Amino acid sequence: TLRRHLTRDAKLFVRLEATVPVTRKPEGIRMGKGKGAISFYATPVRPGQILFEIDRVPRITALAALGKIRSKFPCKLGFVEWS
């Protein structure tokens, strides 16, 4: 949804890569009989880590886009500006 709030010529870089496999056993299966199959991949996010980079966009547009996606994240998001 971040891409929707940016213009076409904006460059969006996602600095995350899902690398940790999370396994689940099917519902209704008894305990034991090995580890479950991989359900999805997750990414550990540390405090201060940069998640997205936005280029070729005015500051006001980038702040507006960040404000609209802020509610979808379980952590606080900040804004870092490079000169």
Side-chain angles (χ1 to χ4, degrees):
T1 59
L2 182 58
R3 173 54 73 185
R4 290 183 194 170
H5 303 295
L6 299 173
T7 57
R8 260 179 208 244
D9 56 340
K11 296 290 282 180
L12 175 67
F13 302 99
V14 181
R15 302 260 314 254
L16 296 173
E17 189 173 330
T19 56
V20 180
V22 178
T23 60
R24 295 269 164 88
K25 291 181 73 86
E27 196 172 319
I29 300 296
R30 294 182 182 179
M31 298 290 285
K33 298 194 179 27
K35 194 167 184 167
I38 294 175
S39 178
F40 59 93
Y41 287 87
T43 301
V45 178
R46 292 165 189 80
Q49 186 174 355
I50 295 176
L51 305 178
F52 302 106
E53 284 186 26
I54 303 172
D55 196 15
R56 301 181 191 167
V57 169
R59 183 179 192 273
I60 297 168
T61 308
L63 280 172
L66 180 68
K68 290 179 182 176
I69 66 162
R70 199 172 264 167
S71 63
K72 298 201 178 266
F73 283 87
C75 58
K76 283 185 175 181
L77 295 180
F79 189 77
V80 178
E81 217 172 330
W82 299 89
S83 57

